[in-house]
Structures are given as structure tokens and as C-alpha cells.
């Protein structure tokens, strides 16, 4: 069994910092891709395409950073993360489909928006991690 | 799964944080294992056994 020379705390701190920078880069590139056409490059399709592809590439980097972060956690925290991801995936699937159905059947007077689902995912994941952490306290 | 981690740790006058550092896990993980809320993986169980100079069966007891 290999033992890392750096402590768990140090490794987690470093991977969290890396993850934060990747998240920040992704959010900034998304903001640029969203608002750039209107404020910076006058709706040029080629520039928009480049910024959207850049956003996708940075997104892949962010996913990789997240995987590395989870792999660097100890086994209890990996379990907490796995359970939280499972709960989030399941809830997003069933709530997302129900939400779309509400729109299709005109039960809600507005169009279903993906941003609601993204916020729902974020909150579900956050709550699941908090509850999981409490459960093993 | 029951275990004798708390006793073995106390015999050596180690805190949960000390044991966590030696096993390269968080203090919360040691606490959860001691309370029986979390069963460690086989590699971690082997690591604990090696640290205490015992076998896995000496530390972890099937309920």
C-alpha cells in the first residue's frame, strides 16, 4: 500500500483550491460566452462559437478536477459524496421529468427552464452532503 | 461491525486525531468507525492491523 508523503488535510486543501479555480474559470467563460455577443463582439458567430467551445473544454477540466478531488478524499468522505451524487442524480431525474410534464400539460403558466433544474441540482447536492456528513458524525 | 479501535487507541494514549493521521484518514472517519457507523475498507483495516501489530480479526469483530 502506498502512503502519500503529504497529509490528507494538505492534499484535500490543494485539490479543493484547484477545483475552486476550475469552477471559477468555467463560470467566467460561461459568462463571457453568454454576454460576450451582446457587449463585446457584436454577435459574431465565429467568436461566439470559439468561446462556447472554450467553455466546454474548461468544463471538461472542471470535471477532471472534481474527479481528482473526490479521489483524494478519505473513504468515508468518498462514500458521503457518492451517496450525495446518487441522491442528486435520482432527484434531478424524477423532478426534471415531472417539471417538464407540468410544462407540456400546461399545468404551469410558464415554460420549463433548465436554470431551475440546475439550481435544484445544486441545492439537492448541498443538502445531501450536509445530511451525509451529519449522519456519520 | 464492532471493533476495538477505541480501546487500542486509549492503550497507546492516542487521540482520534493522532490515529487519523497515522492511518491517513480524517478524524471524522475514525469517530464513525469507532461508533460502528462506518465499516472501513479492507486496505484500511489491514493498515490499522499493521499499525497496532495485530490481525484484522483482533480489531474488528463480526456482529
Amino acid at each position: 500500500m502506498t502512503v502519500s508523503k503529504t497529509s490528507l488535510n494538505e492534499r484535500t486543501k490543494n485539490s479543493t483550491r484547484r477545483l475552486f479555480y476550475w469552477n471559477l474559470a468555467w463560470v467566467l467563460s460561461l459568462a463571457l460566452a453568454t454576454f460576450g455577443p451582446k457587449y463585446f463582439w457584436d454577435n459574431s458567430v465565429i467568436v461566439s462559437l470559439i468561446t462556447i467551445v472554450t467553455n466546454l473544454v474548461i468544463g471538461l477540466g472542471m470535471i477532471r478536477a472534481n474527479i481528482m478531488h473526490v479521489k483524494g478524499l478519505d473513504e468515508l468522505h468518498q462514500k458521503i459524496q457518492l451517496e450525495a451524487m446518487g441522491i442528486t442524480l435520482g432527484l434531478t431525474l424524477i423532478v426534471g421529468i415531472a417539471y417538464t410534464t407540468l410544462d407540456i400539460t400546461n399545468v404551469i403558466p410558464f415554460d420549463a427552464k433548465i436554470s431551475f433544474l440546475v439550481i435544484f441540482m445544486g441545492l439537492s447536492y448541498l443538502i445531501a452532503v450536509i445530511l451525509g456528513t451529519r449522519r456519520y458524525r | 461491525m464492532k471493533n476495538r479501535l477505541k480501546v487500542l487507541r486509549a492503550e497507546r494514549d492516542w487521540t482520534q486525531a493522532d490515529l487519523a493521521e497515522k492511518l491517513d484518514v480524517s478524524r471524522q472517519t475514525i469517530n464513525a468507525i469507532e461508533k460502528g457507523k462506518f465499516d472501513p475498507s479492507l486496505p484500511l483495516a489491514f493498515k490499522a492491523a499493521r499499525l497496532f501489530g495485530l490481525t484484522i480479526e483482533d480489531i474488528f469483530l463480526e456482529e
Side-chain angles (χ1 to χ4, degrees):
Chain A
M1 195 187 307
T2 54
V3 177
S4 176
K5 285 176 185 168
T6 53
S7 72
L8 178 71
N9 274 347
E10 204 176 320
R11 288 199 312 274
T12 306
K13 209 179 285 181
N14 287 338
S15 71
T16 305
R17 193 180 301 127
R18 249 194 316 271
L19 185 59
F20 168 76
Y21 288 131
W22 274 105
N23 273 281
L24 185 66
W26 181 75
V27 169
L28 290 178
S29 68
L30 181 64
L32 188 66
T34 306
F35 300 112
K38 190 178 175 188
Y39 296 107
F40 297 117
W41 53 81
D42 197 25
N43 294 311
S44 162
V45 174
I46 188 74
V47 180
S48 290
L49 193 62
I50 290 169
T51 51
I52 290 168
V53 170
T54 305
N55 173 248
L56 278 174
V57 171
I58 293 174
L60 291 176
M62 182 180 72
I63 292 171
R64 188 176 176 276
N66 195 30
I67 291 170
M68 299 307 287
H69 173 68
V70 173
K71 277 185 175 175
L73 298 173
D74 75 353
E75 52 190 69
L76 173 65
H77 289 91
Q78 283 184 359
K79 186 181 164 76
I80 292 170
Q81 290 288 329
L82 181 68
E83 287 174 356
M85 287 179 202
I87 290 168
T88 304
L89 179 66
L91 281 177
T92 304
L93 183 75
I94 59 166
V95 172
I97 288 173
Y99 182 46
T100 311
T101 311
L102 286 173
D103 181 20
I104 292 168
T105 54
N106 291 319
V107 175
I108 51 173
F110 51 87
D111 289 336
K113 286 182 181 160
I114 190 76
S115 54
F116 289 161
L117 212 53
V118 172
I119 292 168
F120 176 78
M121 271 181 89
L123 289 175
S124 302
Y125 178 68
L126 186 68
I127 292 168
V129 168
I130 291 170
L131 292 179
T133 305
R134 274 189 179 181
R135 185 146 62 99
Y136 293 108
R137 194 180 282 169
Chain B
M1 188 161 56
K2 285 182 180 172
N3 65 78
R4 298 176 52 228
L5 270 191
K6 193 174 182 178
V7 175
L8 294 167
R9 181 171 63 74
E11 282 173 1
R12 288 154 182 80
D13 207 18
W14 291 344
T15 62
Q16 285 186 340
D18 293 334
L19 182 56
E21 195 182 340
K22 290 175 199 300
L23 293 177
D24 198 33
V25 294
S26 64
R27 194 201 57 77
Q28 190 191 1
T29 299
I30 297 298
N31 186 52
I33 294 171
E34 283 186 0
K35 286 184 172 175
K37 288 182 178 177
F38 174 68
D39 293 333
S41 66
L42 204 49
L44 183 56
F46 270 117
K47 207 171 177 181
R50 210 161 33 235
L51 179 69
F52 290 115
L54 298 167
T55 63
I56 288 180
E57 293 89 337
D58 290 332
I59 303 174
F60 298 98
L61 319 157
E62 200 177 2
E63 281 180 296

